[in-house]
Amino acid sequence: MLYQTPRGTKDILPDESHKWQFIETRVRKIFHSFNFREIRTPVFEETEIFARGIGQTTDIVQKEMYTFTDRGGKSYTLRPEMTASAVRAYIQHHFSEVQPIQKWYYIASMFRQEKPQAGRLRQFHQFGAEIFGSPEPVADVEIIQLVMEIFLQFGLQQPTLKLNSVGCPKCRLSYKELLRKILRPVFDQLCPDCRARYDTNPLRILDCKRDSCHKLTEKVPGIETYLCEDCKSHFQEVKRALTTLSIPFDLDKRLVRGLDYYTRTAFEVVSSQLGSQDALAGGGRYDLLVKELGGPETPGVGFAAGIERLLMVLEKLHLPIGEMIKPEVYLVGLGNETSTTVREQALKLRRQGVICELDLLNRSLKAQMREANKRGARLAIIIGENELQKDVAILKDMAKGEQIELPLSEITEYVLNKLGKPGS
Ligand code: HAM
């Protein structure tokens, strides 16, 4: 029996984990520069948090959640996204009483039982951010500028920002009515999913990916003209600020998003380097969600981006994705006598942040030198019995082939100098 990873999941093996670390380190640094702080929540939550938060009629809640009953009979779900969990934490820990504005970020795995394909997994990873407490367009702009800055710092020149406003329940009501009216005569031609959406959430029909549904909604006017005065001026201010900041965007009346909590601003960042799953990131405003989950009325806005998708784009465009770690120094020992000294020298260097490797197979000098070469070490430190007696070691520059003899007490300083390291 050969066990395999579950369908739609992947191992991140040691020869590719550096790419993940590279992305995480860079993203974390940018989040910190925008003064966002990290939130970590449990990987599973009470099912109702997602059902109510994301919306009962969404694909995620209806078809994609990993839900299980624990031994106590309680229903839990592996998080399919982080916003609902962040909101739960915001309410549970009374953050609204602490500081009016909370800026949080996360880097975490999510779970959705979708049909796996390129760029679509069942366990995938997101980095994302949420701002609680500001109803102002500047908060939307802070989030959008943040996400665009992250992609820019990874070297992506032209990811497209798609922008829309989905209004508030007040203005959505009349728009929904209009949609139903326009689509009633062609109801039978809609796909089964959209026929179900007709009553529950007709806005979602606009972003159905099927050509036939797309055609039927071609002439439907965008929501923009139906927005109430407040939503309209909010949207206008977001657009104005983005324009002044030279952040280009495409207005997309079909952009509705697959989660029901959005109000006003909704956006996606897409890349032409990806196939049909072209969204690198998505987000928007959710002014009613905190209240919906039992908290005080608190506006929110945020985004999340898919790490697997970002990696796909970086690899396709041959952009930097970090380097695998390799030993800087390989310590070669000979015989049992030298092994303690070799290990002591290695530890001294390791404590200064030098990446050291040593032989774990009691191999011959020749075999150890071959290994040092193969692993790409810059320096070899050779301590044989002769050297041990004289309290010295031989240091060999692997690229140049030059070697010198040094007292053991001087090794650390010499190596740090040679590697151009400050030491720690
Ligand atoms: P989302 O659009 O569902 O939004 O996901 C955000 C991003 O996660 C997508 O654009 C995509 O890059 C990635 N993603 C989603 N599903 C998968 C999958 N099955 N496989 C690989 N990558 C995937 C949210 O999750 C919202 N919580 C974003 C948000 C935060 N809105 C407000 N705050």
Side-chain angles (χ1 to χ4, degrees), residues 42-107:
V43 92
F44 61 97
E45 300 268 0
E46 283 182 45
T47 299
E48 205 180 309
I49 291 172
F50 300 120
R52 278 179 65 184
I54 299 169
Q56 292 285 0
T57 61
T58 57
D59 286 352
I60 296 182
V61 172
Q62 294 213 326
K63 309 182 199 163
E64 297 168 4
M65 294 207 300
Y66 282 100
T67 297
F68 60 96
T69 309
D70 78 352
R71 286 167 202 274
K74 238 180 139 89
S75 178
Y76 290 107
T77 294
L78 296 183
R79 62 178 171 222
E81 61 110 43
M82 192 71 172
T83 311
S85 300
V87 168
R88 192 265 313 132
Y90 180 87
I91 301 168
Q92 181 179 339
H93 304 287
H94 307 288
F95 274 98
S96 63
E97 295 157 24
V98 179
Q99 230 271 10
I101 301 290
Q102 291 293 329
K103 292 170 53 173
W104 295 354
Y105 79 87
Y106 46 85
I107 304 174

Side-chain angles (χ1 to χ4, degrees), residues 81 83 112 114 119 121 126 130 257 261-262 279-280 302 304 306:
E81 61 110 43
T83 311
R112 297 183 193 174
E114 296 192 79
L121 288 117
Q126 288 184 339
E130 315 289 345
R257 311 267 302 127
Y261 48 61
Y262 292 109
L280 276 170

Side-chain angles (χ1 to χ4, degrees), residues 352-388:
Q352 296 298 321
V354 178
I355 309 170
C356 293
E357 188 55 289
L358 36 78
D359 178 50
L360 299 178
L361 288 171
N362 288 330
R363 283 176 283 197
S364 68
L365 168 75
K366 213 164 137 198
Q368 288 185 52
M369 289 306 286
R370 213 180 306 127
E371 186 68 16
N373 215 2
K374 209 165 102 192
R375 302 283 207 95
R378 281 190 53 195
L379 289 171
I381 297 178
I382 305 151
I383 305 176
E385 270 157 28
N386 273 346
E387 286 76 31
L388 192 65

Side-chain angles (χ1 to χ4, degrees), residues 60 80-84 106 110 112 114 119-126 128-130 257-259 261-262 268-269 274 277-286 301-310:
I60 296 182
E81 61 110 43
M82 192 71 172
T83 311
Y106 46 85
M110 310 292 153
R112 297 183 193 174
E114 296 192 79
R120 192 160 75 189
L121 288 117
R122 291 184 167 179
Q123 176 174 359
F124 59 99
H125 300 78
Q126 288 184 339
E130 315 289 345
R257 311 267 302 127
L259 306 106
Y261 48 61
Y262 292 109
E268 264 176 21
V269 183
L274 293 166
Q277 301 302 313
D278 66 351
L280 276 170
R285 181 164 276 286
Y286 48 88
V301 56
F303 85 93
I307 298 185
E308 285 80 1
R309 294 192 192 173
L310 173 58

Side-chain angles (χ1 to χ4, degrees), residues 4-257:
Q4 304 263 340
T5 46
R7 194 163 127 77
T9 69
K10 277 188 182 159
D11 293 316
I12 299 169
L13 297 169
D15 60 3
E16 51 191 0
S17 53
H18 63 279
K19 301 176 191 169
W20 292 76
Q21 290 160 359
F22 175 77
I23 290 182
E24 288 160 11
T25 307
R26 182 166 280 187
V27 161
R28 205 176 277 284
K29 204 167 149 207
I30 304 169
F31 280 139
H32 290 170
S33 74
F34 277 69
N35 196 32
F36 281 72
R37 285 183 292 171
E38 188 178 18
I39 168 113
R40 301 188 190 195
T41 62
V43 92
F44 61 97
E45 300 268 0
E46 283 182 45
T47 299
E48 205 180 309
I49 291 172
F50 300 120
R52 278 179 65 184
I54 299 169
Q56 292 285 0
T57 61
T58 57
D59 286 352
I60 296 182
V61 172
Q62 294 213 326
K63 309 182 199 163
E64 297 168 4
M65 294 207 300
Y66 282 100
T67 297
F68 60 96
T69 309
D70 78 352
R71 286 167 202 274
K74 238 180 139 89
S75 178
Y76 290 107
T77 294
L78 296 183
R79 62 178 171 222
E81 61 110 43
M82 192 71 172
T83 311
S85 300
V87 168
R88 192 265 313 132
Y90 180 87
I91 301 168
Q92 181 179 339
H93 304 287
H94 307 288
F95 274 98
S96 63
E97 295 157 24
V98 179
Q99 230 271 10
I101 301 290
Q102 291 293 329
K103 292 170 53 173
W104 295 354
Y105 79 87
Y106 46 85
I107 304 174
S109 44
M110 310 292 153
F111 307 84
R112 297 183 193 174
Q113 193 164 358
E114 296 192 79
K115 211 166 161 205
Q117 63 179 80
R120 192 160 75 189
L121 288 117
R122 291 184 167 179
Q123 176 174 359
F124 59 99
H125 300 78
Q126 288 184 339
F127 57 82
E130 315 289 345
I131 301 179
F132 294 104
S134 171
E136 300 297 330
V138 280
D140 310 43
V141 172
E142 170 107 326
I143 283 290
I144 293 175
Q145 191 176 41
L146 169 62
V147 60
M148 297 313 280
E149 180 60 19
I150 290 175
F151 292 134
L152 191 75
Q153 288 204 23
F154 278 103
L156 303 191
Q157 297 302 332
Q158 278 158 335
T160 308
L161 170 63
K162 295 206 287 188
L163 190 68
N164 195 17
S165 171
V166 293
C168 63
K170 204 168 72 186
C171 37
R172 254 193 315 242
L173 204 65
S174 52
Y175 187 62
K176 277 184 185 170
E177 272 320 302
L178 174 87
L179 275 177
R180 289 200 188 97
K181 206 166 129 200
I182 296 176
L183 294 172
R184 195 164 300 139
V186 292
F187 179 84
D188 292 340
Q189 297 167 46
L190 293 169
C191 74
D193 279 347
C194 284
R195 282 200 295 254
R197 288 169 185 149
Y198 182 88
D199 282 322
T200 55
N201 188 0
L203 256 77
R204 285 296 317 277
I205 301 176
L206 291 176
D207 74 358
C208 178
K209 298 285 175 283
R210 286 177 202 242
D211 282 347
S212 49
C213 294
H214 210 268
K215 278 216 177 78
L216 294 173
T217 52
E218 232 158 32
K219 295 216 167 67
V220 172
I223 193 174
E224 199 168 348
T225 44
Y226 291 82
L227 295 178
C228 63
E229 280 314 307
D230 287 349
C231 289
K232 204 176 276 174
S233 69
H234 185 98
F235 193 34
Q236 253 151 19
E237 182 48 29
V238 172
K239 288 187 289 184
R240 191 202 60 76
L242 292 176
T243 309
T244 350
L245 291 164
S246 305
I247 300 176
F249 55 86
D250 288 350
L251 290 178
D252 183 351
K253 69 168 190 187
R254 291 182 181 275
L255 184 69
V256 180
R257 311 267 302 127

